Amino acid sequence: MADTTVAADGVEAVLDDVVGWRRHLHRNPELSFQERETAAFVAETLAGFGTALEIERPAENSVVARLETGRPGPVVALRADIDALPIDEQSGVEFASERAGAMHACGHDAHTAMLLGAARLLTEARDRLPGGQLRFVFQAAEELPPGGARDLVAAGAVDGADLVYGCHVWTGLETGRVAAMPGPFMAAADFFTLAISGAGGHGGMPHQATDTVAIAAQVVTNLQHLVARRIDPLAPAVVTVAAFHAGDAPNVIPGRAELAGTARSFTPDVRDRLPGLIEDVVRGIASAHGAEYELEYQRGYDPVVNDERATALVRAAIAPDATAELAPIMGGDDFSAYLAKAPGCYAFVGARSEEAGAVHPHHHPCFRIDERALPVGVRLHVDVAVRALHEL
Ligand SMILES: [Zn+2]
Ligand SMILES: [Zn+2]
Protein backbone atom coordinates (compact mmCIF):
# COMPACT_ATOMS: atom_id res chain seq x y z
CA MET A 1 0.00 0.00 0.00
CA ALA A 2 1.07 3.55 -0.64
CA ASP A 3 2.13 5.62 2.31
CA THR A 4 -0.69 8.13 2.55
CA THR A 5 0.48 9.69 5.79
CA VAL A 6 1.83 12.67 3.82
CA ALA A 7 -1.71 13.88 3.32
CA ALA A 8 -3.13 12.62 6.58
CA ASP A 9 -0.50 14.47 8.61
CA GLY A 10 -0.16 17.55 6.51
CA VAL A 11 -3.43 18.90 5.17
CA GLU A 12 -4.45 20.56 8.42
CA ALA A 13 -1.04 22.24 8.63
CA VAL A 14 -1.36 23.92 5.21
CA LEU A 15 -5.07 24.65 5.30
CA ASP A 16 -4.84 28.23 6.57
CA ASP A 17 -2.38 29.03 3.81
CA VAL A 18 -4.55 27.35 1.18
CA VAL A 19 -7.58 29.38 2.24
CA GLY A 20 -5.44 32.55 2.28
CA TRP A 21 -4.05 31.90 -1.20
CA ARG A 22 -7.49 31.14 -2.54
CA ARG A 23 -8.96 34.36 -1.14
CA HIS A 24 -6.04 36.42 -2.42
CA LEU A 25 -6.57 34.99 -5.90
CA HIS A 26 -10.32 35.49 -5.62
CA ARG A 27 -9.80 39.19 -4.89
CA ASN A 28 -7.42 39.55 -7.81
CA PRO A 29 -8.88 37.62 -10.75
CA GLU A 30 -7.30 37.79 -14.19
CA LEU A 31 -8.93 36.84 -17.46
CA SER A 32 -7.71 34.09 -19.75
CA PHE A 33 -4.37 34.82 -21.43
CA GLN A 34 -3.85 37.80 -19.08
CA GLU A 35 -2.82 35.94 -15.88
CA ARG A 36 0.49 37.76 -15.39
CA GLU A 37 0.10 38.55 -11.68
CA THR A 38 -1.52 35.19 -10.94
CA ALA A 39 1.36 33.30 -12.57
CA ALA A 40 3.88 35.48 -10.75
CA PHE A 41 2.09 34.79 -7.46
CA VAL A 42 2.15 31.05 -8.13
CA ALA A 43 5.85 31.05 -9.05
CA GLU A 44 6.73 33.15 -6.00
CA THR A 45 4.71 30.97 -3.64
CA LEU A 46 6.28 27.79 -5.06
CA ALA A 47 9.74 29.32 -4.65
CA GLY A 48 8.95 29.70 -0.95
CA PHE A 49 8.63 25.91 -0.60
CA GLY A 50 12.38 25.42 -0.88
CA THR A 51 14.98 24.71 -3.52
CA ALA A 52 13.84 21.16 -4.30
CA LEU A 53 11.26 22.49 -6.74
CA GLU A 54 12.50 23.41 -10.23
CA ILE A 55 10.21 26.18 -11.36
CA GLU A 56 9.77 26.81 -15.08
CA ARG A 57 7.68 29.10 -17.23
CA PRO A 58 7.32 27.01 -20.42
CA ALA A 59 4.32 28.95 -21.74
CA GLU A 60 3.12 32.49 -21.19
CA ASN A 61 1.27 32.99 -17.88
CA SER A 62 1.64 29.32 -16.97
CA VAL A 63 3.97 27.79 -14.38
CA VAL A 64 5.32 24.25 -14.11
CA ALA A 65 7.26 23.05 -11.07
CA ARG A 66 9.15 19.75 -11.08
CA LEU A 67 9.94 17.75 -7.99
CA GLU A 68 12.60 15.09 -8.54
CA THR A 69 12.77 12.46 -5.83
CA GLY A 70 16.25 11.55 -7.06
CA ARG A 71 15.16 7.93 -7.32
CA PRO A 72 13.81 6.17 -10.40
CA GLY A 73 10.06 5.88 -10.87
CA PRO A 74 7.12 7.18 -12.86
CA VAL A 75 6.35 10.75 -13.88
CA VAL A 76 3.11 12.09 -12.42
CA ALA A 77 1.63 15.44 -13.48
CA LEU A 78 -0.94 17.32 -11.39
CA ARG A 79 -2.76 20.18 -13.09
CA ALA A 80 -4.68 23.26 -11.93
CA ASP A 81 -6.15 25.99 -14.12
CA ILE A 82 -5.69 29.57 -12.90
CA ASP A 83 -7.86 31.93 -14.99
CA ALA A 84 -11.04 33.88 -14.22
CA LEU A 85 -14.13 34.88 -16.22
CA PRO A 86 -15.44 38.19 -17.62
CA ILE A 87 -18.25 38.53 -15.04
CA ASP A 88 -19.03 41.27 -12.49
CA GLU A 89 -19.10 39.51 -9.13
CA GLN A 90 -22.31 39.58 -7.07
CA SER A 91 -21.53 36.73 -4.66
CA GLY A 92 -21.41 38.95 -1.57
CA VAL A 93 -18.32 37.23 -0.12
CA GLU A 94 -16.02 39.49 1.91
CA PHE A 95 -13.07 38.68 -0.37
CA ALA A 96 -14.98 39.47 -3.57
CA SER A 97 -13.22 40.51 -6.76
CA GLU A 98 -11.59 43.92 -6.61
CA ARG A 99 -11.51 44.07 -10.42
CA ALA A 100 -14.58 45.14 -12.33
CA GLY A 101 -15.39 42.77 -15.13
CA ALA A 102 -13.42 39.83 -13.77
CA MET A 103 -14.43 37.10 -11.35
CA HIS A 104 -13.30 33.66 -10.29
CA ALA A 105 -16.75 32.25 -11.06
CA CYS A 106 -15.61 28.75 -11.94
CA GLY A 107 -13.44 27.96 -8.91
CA HIS A 108 -10.04 28.07 -10.60
CA ASP A 109 -8.81 30.12 -7.62
CA ALA A 110 -9.57 27.05 -5.50
CA HIS A 111 -7.80 24.75 -7.98
CA THR A 112 -4.68 26.91 -7.86
CA ALA A 113 -4.64 27.10 -4.06
CA MET A 114 -5.27 23.36 -3.61
CA LEU A 115 -2.42 22.45 -5.94
CA LEU A 116 -0.11 24.92 -4.18
CA GLY A 117 -0.98 23.24 -0.87
CA ALA A 118 -0.28 19.81 -2.32
CA ALA A 119 2.99 20.99 -3.86
CA ARG A 120 4.13 22.24 -0.48
CA LEU A 121 3.24 19.02 1.33
CA LEU A 122 4.82 16.80 -1.31
CA THR A 123 7.96 18.94 -1.49
CA GLU A 124 8.36 18.77 2.29
CA ALA A 125 7.87 14.99 2.12
CA ARG A 126 10.26 14.43 -0.77
CA ASP A 127 12.59 12.07 1.06
CA ARG A 128 9.68 9.88 2.15
CA LEU A 129 8.07 9.63 -1.32
CA PRO A 130 8.35 6.60 -3.59
CA GLY A 131 10.80 7.18 -6.48
CA GLY A 132 9.84 9.21 -9.54
CA GLN A 133 9.10 12.76 -10.57
CA LEU A 134 6.14 15.01 -9.83
CA ARG A 135 5.10 17.93 -12.01
CA PHE A 136 2.82 20.65 -10.75
CA VAL A 137 1.19 22.28 -13.77
CA PHE A 138 -0.48 25.68 -13.24
CA GLN A 139 -2.21 26.39 -16.51
CA ALA A 140 -3.42 29.69 -17.90
CA ALA A 141 -6.53 30.21 -20.01
CA GLU A 142 -8.78 27.19 -19.56
CA GLU A 143 -11.87 29.31 -20.17
CA LEU A 144 -11.02 30.68 -23.60
CA PRO A 145 -10.29 28.51 -26.65
CA PRO A 146 -7.76 27.68 -27.96
CA GLY A 147 -6.91 27.39 -24.25
CA GLY A 148 -3.64 27.30 -22.37
CA ALA A 149 -3.20 23.51 -22.21
CA ARG A 150 -2.30 23.34 -25.88
CA ASP A 151 0.79 25.52 -25.44
CA LEU A 152 1.92 23.63 -22.34
CA VAL A 153 1.57 20.31 -24.14
CA ALA A 154 3.53 21.71 -27.10
CA ALA A 155 6.22 22.87 -24.67
CA GLY A 156 6.55 19.32 -23.32
CA ALA A 157 4.92 19.90 -19.93
CA VAL A 158 3.51 16.37 -19.80
CA ASP A 159 6.09 14.62 -21.99
CA GLY A 160 6.88 11.24 -20.52
CA ALA A 161 4.08 11.47 -17.95
CA ASP A 162 2.69 8.13 -16.79
CA LEU A 163 -0.35 9.80 -15.32
CA VAL A 164 -1.90 13.25 -15.44
CA TYR A 165 -4.45 14.14 -12.81
CA GLY A 166 -6.60 17.21 -12.31
CA CYS A 167 -9.76 18.11 -10.46
CA HIS A 168 -12.56 20.62 -10.68
CA VAL A 169 -14.52 21.88 -7.69
CA TRP A 170 -18.21 21.44 -8.43
CA THR A 171 -21.29 23.05 -6.90
CA GLY A 172 -23.42 20.33 -8.46
CA LEU A 173 -22.01 17.93 -5.87
CA GLU A 174 -22.18 18.15 -2.05
CA THR A 175 -18.98 19.10 -0.25
CA GLY A 176 -17.04 16.07 0.91
CA ARG A 177 -18.00 13.96 -2.07
CA VAL A 178 -15.75 13.26 -5.05
CA ALA A 179 -16.55 11.80 -8.46
CA ALA A 180 -14.00 10.27 -10.81
CA MET A 181 -15.75 8.56 -13.69
CA PRO A 182 -14.04 6.36 -16.27
CA GLY A 183 -14.61 7.00 -19.98
CA PRO A 184 -16.21 10.03 -21.70
CA PHE A 185 -16.98 12.59 -19.02
CA MET A 186 -16.95 16.09 -20.52
CA ALA A 187 -18.09 17.15 -23.96
CA ALA A 188 -16.33 18.43 -27.05
CA ALA A 189 -16.81 22.21 -26.91
CA ASP A 190 -16.95 24.00 -30.27
CA PHE A 191 -17.90 27.59 -31.01
CA PHE A 192 -19.49 29.65 -33.78
CA THR A 193 -20.22 33.22 -34.69
CA LEU A 194 -22.94 34.19 -37.10
CA ALA A 195 -23.86 37.48 -38.76
CA ILE A 196 -27.17 37.95 -40.59
CA SER A 197 -27.16 41.01 -42.84
CA GLY A 198 -29.51 42.76 -45.22
CA ALA A 199 -31.01 46.14 -45.95
CA GLY A 200 -32.19 47.74 -42.72
CA GLY A 201 -34.96 50.28 -42.77
CA HIS A 202 -38.00 51.82 -41.15
CA GLY A 203 -39.62 49.85 -38.34
CA GLY A 204 -43.06 50.76 -39.69
CA MET A 205 -42.28 49.62 -43.24
CA PRO A 206 -40.64 46.20 -42.90
CA HIS A 207 -41.58 45.18 -46.45
CA GLN A 208 -39.01 47.70 -47.70
CA ALA A 209 -36.28 46.26 -45.48
CA THR A 210 -34.72 42.92 -44.63
CA ASP A 211 -35.54 42.33 -41.00
CA THR A 212 -32.32 40.84 -39.65
CA VAL A 213 -33.75 40.61 -36.12
CA ALA A 214 -36.74 38.50 -37.16
CA ILE A 215 -34.55 36.33 -39.38
CA ALA A 216 -31.88 35.83 -36.70
CA ALA A 217 -34.62 34.97 -34.18
CA GLN A 218 -35.86 32.23 -36.53
CA VAL A 219 -32.32 30.92 -36.80
CA VAL A 220 -32.07 30.70 -33.01
CA THR A 221 -35.29 28.72 -32.61
CA ASN A 222 -34.61 26.47 -35.63
CA LEU A 223 -31.21 25.50 -34.28
CA GLN A 224 -33.07 23.79 -31.44
CA HIS A 225 -35.05 21.75 -33.99
CA LEU A 226 -31.70 20.63 -35.33
CA VAL A 227 -30.80 19.05 -32.00
CA ALA A 228 -34.30 17.63 -31.49
CA ARG A 229 -34.90 16.30 -35.02
CA ARG A 230 -31.60 15.77 -36.83
CA ILE A 231 -29.44 14.22 -34.09
CA ASP A 232 -29.97 10.74 -32.65
CA PRO A 233 -31.81 11.26 -29.35
CA LEU A 234 -29.40 8.84 -27.69
CA ALA A 235 -26.36 10.86 -28.79
CA PRO A 236 -25.85 13.93 -26.58
CA ALA A 237 -25.74 17.28 -28.35
CA VAL A 238 -26.27 20.90 -27.37
CA VAL A 239 -26.48 23.99 -29.56
CA THR A 240 -26.67 27.19 -27.53
CA VAL A 241 -26.87 30.71 -28.92
CA ALA A 242 -25.58 32.75 -26.00
CA ALA A 243 -25.04 36.14 -27.64
CA PHE A 244 -27.50 38.08 -29.83
CA HIS A 245 -26.69 41.68 -30.71
CA ALA A 246 -28.75 43.80 -33.06
CA GLY A 247 -30.28 47.22 -33.27
CA ASP A 248 -30.32 50.37 -31.15
CA ALA A 249 -33.71 52.00 -31.66
CA PRO A 250 -37.35 50.87 -31.43
CA ASN A 251 -38.20 52.06 -34.92
CA VAL A 252 -35.07 51.23 -36.91
CA ILE A 253 -34.63 47.77 -38.39
CA PRO A 254 -30.88 47.10 -38.17
CA GLY A 255 -28.91 45.95 -41.18
CA ARG A 256 -27.03 43.38 -39.20
CA ALA A 257 -27.61 40.94 -36.37
CA GLU A 258 -24.67 39.21 -34.73
CA LEU A 259 -24.95 35.93 -32.87
CA ALA A 260 -22.48 33.66 -31.14
CA GLY A 261 -22.86 30.27 -29.57
CA THR A 262 -21.43 26.93 -28.68
CA ALA A 263 -22.02 23.39 -29.90
CA ARG A 264 -21.36 20.45 -27.58
CA SER A 265 -21.14 16.77 -28.36
CA PHE A 266 -19.40 13.55 -27.33
CA THR A 267 -19.08 11.36 -30.40
CA PRO A 268 -16.86 12.24 -33.38
CA ASP A 269 -19.79 11.54 -35.71
CA VAL A 270 -22.09 14.12 -34.10
CA ARG A 271 -19.23 16.57 -33.69
CA ASP A 272 -18.33 16.37 -37.37
CA ARG A 273 -21.95 16.74 -38.53
CA LEU A 274 -22.90 19.76 -36.40
CA PRO A 275 -21.17 22.50 -38.45
CA GLY A 276 -22.91 21.37 -41.65
CA LEU A 277 -26.29 21.00 -39.97
CA ILE A 278 -26.00 24.47 -38.45
CA GLU A 279 -25.08 25.96 -41.80
CA ASP A 280 -28.03 24.20 -43.48
CA VAL A 281 -30.41 25.93 -41.05
CA VAL A 282 -28.74 29.32 -41.41
CA ARG A 283 -28.53 29.14 -45.21
CA GLY A 284 -32.15 27.99 -45.57
CA ILE A 285 -33.63 30.68 -43.36
CA ALA A 286 -31.42 33.48 -44.71
CA SER A 287 -32.23 32.48 -48.27
CA ALA A 288 -35.98 32.21 -47.61
CA HIS A 289 -36.06 35.79 -46.32
CA GLY A 290 -33.53 37.44 -48.61
CA ALA A 291 -30.69 37.93 -46.12
CA GLU A 292 -26.97 37.24 -46.36
CA TYR A 293 -25.01 35.41 -43.71
CA GLU A 294 -21.45 34.85 -42.53
CA LEU A 295 -20.87 31.80 -40.36
CA GLU A 296 -17.57 31.01 -38.69
CA TYR A 297 -17.12 27.74 -36.89
CA GLN A 298 -14.21 27.03 -34.58
CA ARG A 299 -13.40 23.62 -33.17
CA GLY A 300 -12.60 23.96 -29.49
CA TYR A 301 -11.64 21.39 -26.88
CA ASP A 302 -11.80 17.65 -27.46
CA PRO A 303 -13.98 15.66 -25.07
CA VAL A 304 -12.48 14.69 -21.72
CA VAL A 305 -12.22 10.90 -21.74
CA ASN A 306 -10.81 9.48 -18.53
CA ASP A 307 -8.45 6.51 -18.78
CA GLU A 308 -9.81 3.37 -17.07
CA ARG A 309 -6.65 2.49 -15.14
CA ALA A 310 -5.86 6.07 -14.13
CA THR A 311 -9.43 6.50 -12.95
CA ALA A 312 -9.25 3.30 -10.90
CA LEU A 313 -6.13 4.66 -9.22
CA VAL A 314 -7.86 7.97 -8.44
CA ARG A 315 -10.98 6.22 -7.17
CA ALA A 316 -8.84 4.13 -4.83
CA ALA A 317 -7.62 7.42 -3.30
CA ILE A 318 -11.17 8.56 -2.52
CA ALA A 319 -12.62 7.47 0.82
CA PRO A 320 -15.38 4.91 0.12
CA ASP A 321 -18.07 6.98 1.82
CA ALA A 322 -17.03 10.06 -0.17
CA THR A 323 -17.25 8.41 -3.57
CA ALA A 324 -19.97 9.91 -5.75
CA GLU A 325 -21.21 8.95 -9.20
CA LEU A 326 -21.80 11.75 -11.69
CA ALA A 327 -23.31 11.46 -15.15
CA PRO A 328 -21.21 12.97 -17.97
CA ILE A 329 -21.64 16.72 -18.34
CA MET A 330 -21.83 18.91 -21.44
CA GLY A 331 -19.29 21.35 -20.06
CA GLY A 332 -15.90 21.23 -21.77
CA ASP A 333 -12.35 21.50 -20.44
CA ASP A 334 -8.98 21.63 -22.16
CA PHE A 335 -7.74 18.97 -19.73
CA SER A 336 -8.43 16.82 -22.80
CA ALA A 337 -5.23 18.20 -24.36
CA TYR A 338 -3.18 16.41 -21.69
CA LEU A 339 -5.23 13.24 -22.07
CA ALA A 340 -4.22 13.13 -25.72
CA LYS A 341 -0.61 12.83 -24.52
CA ALA A 342 -0.81 10.71 -21.38
CA PRO A 343 -3.31 8.50 -19.55
CA GLY A 344 -5.13 10.45 -16.90
CA CYS A 345 -8.21 11.30 -14.94
CA TYR A 346 -10.15 14.48 -14.30
CA ALA A 347 -12.12 14.29 -11.04
CA PHE A 348 -14.91 16.45 -9.63
CA VAL A 349 -14.64 17.61 -6.02
CA GLY A 350 -17.96 18.54 -4.40
CA ALA A 351 -18.23 22.17 -3.25
CA ARG A 352 -21.96 22.58 -2.74
CA SER A 353 -23.41 23.66 0.58
CA GLU A 354 -26.72 25.37 1.32
CA GLU A 355 -25.40 26.92 4.53
CA ALA A 356 -22.32 28.35 2.77
CA GLY A 357 -24.54 29.75 0.02
CA ALA A 358 -22.61 27.63 -2.46
CA VAL A 359 -25.58 26.67 -4.58
CA HIS A 360 -25.23 28.67 -7.80
CA PRO A 361 -23.99 27.11 -11.01
CA HIS A 362 -20.51 27.77 -12.28
CA HIS A 363 -20.15 30.97 -14.39
CA HIS A 364 -22.95 32.65 -12.38
CA PRO A 365 -22.26 36.11 -10.85
CA CYS A 366 -23.40 34.80 -7.45
CA PHE A 367 -21.16 31.70 -7.68
CA ARG A 368 -19.57 30.62 -4.40
CA ILE A 369 -17.80 27.50 -3.28
CA ASP A 370 -17.88 25.85 0.12
CA GLU A 371 -14.27 26.28 1.30
CA ARG A 372 -14.51 22.97 3.16
CA ALA A 373 -13.87 21.49 -0.29
CA LEU A 374 -10.31 22.85 -0.19
CA PRO A 375 -8.82 20.25 2.21
CA VAL A 376 -10.61 17.50 0.28
CA GLY A 377 -8.92 18.65 -2.93
CA VAL A 378 -5.47 19.05 -1.35
CA ARG A 379 -5.66 15.61 0.21
CA LEU A 380 -6.72 14.02 -3.06
CA HIS A 381 -3.87 15.64 -5.01
CA VAL A 382 -1.40 14.29 -2.46
CA ASP A 383 -2.94 10.82 -2.22
CA VAL A 384 -3.17 10.45 -5.99
CA ALA A 385 0.46 11.57 -6.39
CA VAL A 386 1.78 9.18 -3.74
CA ARG A 387 -0.31 6.27 -5.01
CA ALA A 388 0.74 6.88 -8.60
CA LEU A 389 4.45 7.03 -7.69
CA HIS A 390 4.02 3.83 -5.74
CA GLU A 391 1.90 1.82 -8.14
CA LEU A 392 2.76 2.85 -11.71
ZN1 LIG B 1 -15.60 27.43 -16.29
ZN1 LIG C 1 -13.66 25.63 -14.70
Side-chain angles (χ1 to χ4, degrees), residues 215-234:
I215 295 165
Q218 286 202 32
V219 168
V220 174
T221 48
N222 268 274
L223 288 176
Q224 299 315 310
H225 283 260
L226 180 166
V227 174
R229 306 283 79 172
R230 302 291 303 277
I231 302 285
D232 181 341
L234 295 178

Side-chain angles (χ1 to χ4, degrees), residues 106 108 142-143 168:
C106 201
H108 300 187
E142 186 283 320
E143 296 284 6
H168 206 299

Side-chain angles (χ1 to χ4, degrees), residues 33 39 44 152 248 253 269 321 335 365 369 386-387:
F33 295 107
E44 200 175 293
L152 280 170
D248 296 301
I253 293 172
D269 172 54
D321 61 344
F335 192 78
I369 62 156
V386 173
R387 265 169 203 279

Side-chain angles (χ1 to χ4, degrees), residues 23-57:
R23 292 183 176 193
H24 167 80
L25 293 165
H26 196 88
R27 277 196 181 93
N28 298 283
E30 291 179 298
L31 302 182
S32 309
F33 295 107
Q34 300 173 27
E35 310 90 334
R36 281 172 287 278
E37 287 174 27
T38 305
F41 174 80
V42 166
E44 200 175 293
T45 306
L46 289 166
F49 300 161
T51 53
L53 280 177
E54 295 168 43
I55 300 162
E56 300 164 23
R57 301 289 295 272

Side-chain angles (χ1 to χ4, degrees), residues 81 106-108 111 142-143 168-170 332-333 346 362-363:
D81 44 14
C106 201
H108 300 187
H111 304 167
E142 186 283 320
E143 296 284 6
H168 206 299
V169 292
W170 198 242
D333 197 295
Y346 200 43
H362 294 246
H363 296 203

